[in-house]
Amino acid sequence: MSLQPPVRPEYIYDLPPLGKMTLVKPLPFTTRLWNQAWLRKSVIILVLILLWEGAARWQNNDLLLPGFIQTLKAFMQDMASGELPTKIGFSLSTLIKGYVIGTVLALVLSSLAVSTRVGRDLLSTLTSMFNPLPAIALLPLSLLWFGLGENSLIFVLVHSVMWPMALNTYAGFMGVSDTLRMTGRNYGLRGLRYVWYILIPAALPSILSGLKIGWAFAWRTLIAAELVFGASSGKGGLGWYIFQNRNELFTDRVFAGLISVIIIGLLVEGLIFTTLERVTVKRWGMQK
């Protein structure tokens, strides 16, 4: 004889209304303020500036380590005289040319690698050969092939951008899910249309990472090349500005040139790449 479990009676409870209760408590003003990324980064920069100024005053040798205030004066003087804007304009002009050419070549090479077996072998072989090769090491050959001009700098910039960009793009292409690949095939997409409409949007986070890495490599390579190469076609960029002031023992202007390099890097990272991520991969839910 099996025993049945007892049936428990049902009850209905009428809950009293909550009344006037604060369901959302606003955060304190200081907490909301500290949640702003720009403020936290500004505090970090301010601390670094204070440490720099304190170290300079403790060193008490302007030739070895000028203070932040002295460097800021030199920076403002050369900006007002037009010398620094001219150098910055020349460096950015050269950088953009080499960066664009290197990016386009990397996309073409990555698209070829993801489409054909020969292209995949070509990308693997070329990146194994040339990616470990420092771009600045090609400067003597670049000067021999292209002469004392802007083309020599562009050549080494293309080398510094192309290989890391190609590797990141190809890794992003290979990470695209099979579902998206089959969707593109079902719609009849082939060749460049398949890469443009399916692979590039799906692999955009990796492509943006490659763009950032390529930018950093190109910027460092350009400054180093100008330090070694000097002026190009009677003109010089930020690297030449730093090198020339170092020879004349204007250390404050050397630091002013270094600050210009840092400011440009921060602006490109904070304005261009951050905006590009916000309107693409973050808006699409592909990145937090």
Side-chain angles (χ1 to χ4, degrees):
M1 180 177 180
S2 60
L3 296 177
Q4 296 294 331
V7 179
R8 303 179 65 180
E10 297 182 356
Y11 296 93
I12 298 177
Y13 294 97
D14 293 328
L15 298 177
L18 293 177
K20 294 182 179 181
M21 296 180 61
T22 304
L23 300 179
V24 179
K25 183 179 180 181
L27 294 174
F29 175 75
T30 55
T31 304
R32 286 185 281 118
L33 194 61
W34 188 247
N35 286 337
Q36 303 296 321
W38 65 268
L39 179 62
R40 298 194 302 270
K41 294 179 181 179
S42 300
V43 171
I44 293 174
I45 293 175
L46 181 61
V47 171
L48 293 176
I49 289 175
L50 292 176
L51 291 176
W52 175 10
E53 184 67 25
R57 292 179 182 273
W58 178 78
Q59 180 75 22
N60 197 22
N61 190 335
D62 295 340
L63 184 62
L64 293 179
L65 182 62
F68 173 77
I69 297 176
Q70 183 180 353
T71 301
L72 184 61
K73 290 179 180 178
F75 176 82
M76 298 302 295
Q77 289 174 358
D78 287 352
M79 288 294 290
S81 65
E83 183 178 3
L84 258 180
T86 302
K87 306 295 185 184
I88 292 173
F90 179 79
S91 291
L92 289 180
S93 175
T94 306
L95 177 68
I96 291 173
K97 295 175 184 177
Y99 185 73
V100 171
I101 295 174
T103 300
V104 172
L105 292 177
L107 288 174
V108 171
L109 191 59
S110 301
S111 301
L112 184 64
V114 80
S115 302
T116 63
R117 183 182 301 175
V118 176
R120 184 164 58 252
D121 294 338
L122 178 64
L123 176 63
S124 176
T125 303
L126 292 181
T127 51
S128 299
M129 292 171 56
F130 295 114
N131 192 39
L133 184 64
I136 199 66
L138 295 176
L139 187 59
L141 287 177
S142 178
L143 295 175
L144 182 64
W145 292 342
F146 300 101
L148 299 174
E150 188 182 33
N151 293 333
S152 298
L153 296 176
I154 293 177
F155 176 77
V156 295
L157 288 176
V158 170
H159 172 80
S160 65
V161 172
M162 184 175 176
W163 309 117
M165 178 67 188
L167 286 174
N168 277 270
T169 303
Y170 179 70
F173 287 167
M174 297 303 295
V176 177
S177 65
D178 292 335
T179 303
L180 289 176
R181 294 175 182 272
M182 289 187 290
T183 302
R185 299 297 185 189
N186 291 335
Y187 276 99
L189 299 178
R190 297 291 186 274
L192 292 178
R193 296 178 70 243
Y194 172 73
V195 173
W196 180 258
Y197 288 107
I198 299 297
L199 294 184
I200 290 181
L204 198 55
S206 296
I207 295 175
L208 289 177
S209 297
L211 288 172
K212 289 182 180 181
I213 296 173
W215 156 258
F217 281 11
W219 193 220
R220 289 183 296 182
T221 299
L222 177 64
I223 300 301
E226 287 179 345
L227 282 169
V228 177
F229 180 26
S232 172
S233 301
K235 300 178 181 179
L238 272 174
W240 176 245
Y241 171 86
I242 295 171
F243 180 78
Q244 193 175 26
N245 284 289
R246 195 271 300 175
N247 287 338
E248 298 176 4
L249 299 180
F250 293 143
T251 313
D252 53 349
R253 284 181 165 82
V254 172
F255 275 83
L258 296 176
I259 286 179
S260 301
V261 174
I262 294 173
I263 290 175
I264 293 173
L266 291 175
L267 289 177
V268 171
E269 177 70 26
L271 296 180
I272 297 178
F273 288 120
T274 302
T275 303
L276 189 59
E277 289 179 347
R278 186 173 63 251
V279 300
T280 54
V281 293
K282 289 185 178 180
R283 183 179 180 182
W284 300 340
M286 302 170 67
Q287 190 179 79
K288 293 183 179 180

